Amino acid sequence: MQHICVGSSGYYLKEDTLVFTATMGGRTIATVEISLKDFSIIQCRAFANGVCEYAEQIAGIINANKKMIAERTESRRVSA
């Protein structure tokens, strides 16, 4: 259990955001919310809403994959 407010605050209901978990070795290390407008990280939080020690690495992965995220997001919008 991640102990964050994604569920209770309804972040996952926002139309222009993507919320996912980042895992390492099968263990959840962070919950990440990104903007689907510019693919920037809105928040990256660790257990109990703490600061994620891997935030820079997660940001690097997101930045390296912005094009793929955009393509997949657009294809989902078209097919919906």
Side-chain angles (χ1 to χ4, degrees):
M1 187 176 228
Q2 187 67 3
H3 298 289
I4 56 165
C5 57
V6 168
S8 62
S9 295
Y11 295 127
Y12 62 93
L13 295 172
K14 291 182 183 178
E15 190 171 311
D16 290 327
T17 64
L18 174 65
V19 178
F20 62 93
T21 57
T23 61
M24 180 181 276
R27 187 175 142 250
T28 299
I29 58 168
T31 300
V32 183
E33 178 185 10
I34 65 169
S35 166
L36 293 179
K37 291 179 182 177
D38 63 4
F39 304 101
S40 61
I41 296 175
I42 296 169
Q43 61 179 329
C44 178
R45 306 305 293 174
F47 178 78
N49 213 24
V51 176
C52 177
E53 66 181 288
Y54 301 102
E56 286 184 34
Q57 291 92 328
I58 292 168
I61 292 167
I62 290 170
N63 288 329
N65 290 285
K66 282 183 180 183
K67 183 178 177 184
M68 180 189 64
I69 296 167
E71 289 169 354
R72 290 187 179 187
T73 301
E74 185 58 33
S75 70
R76 294 193 88 191
R77 287 181 182 169
V78 170
S79 65

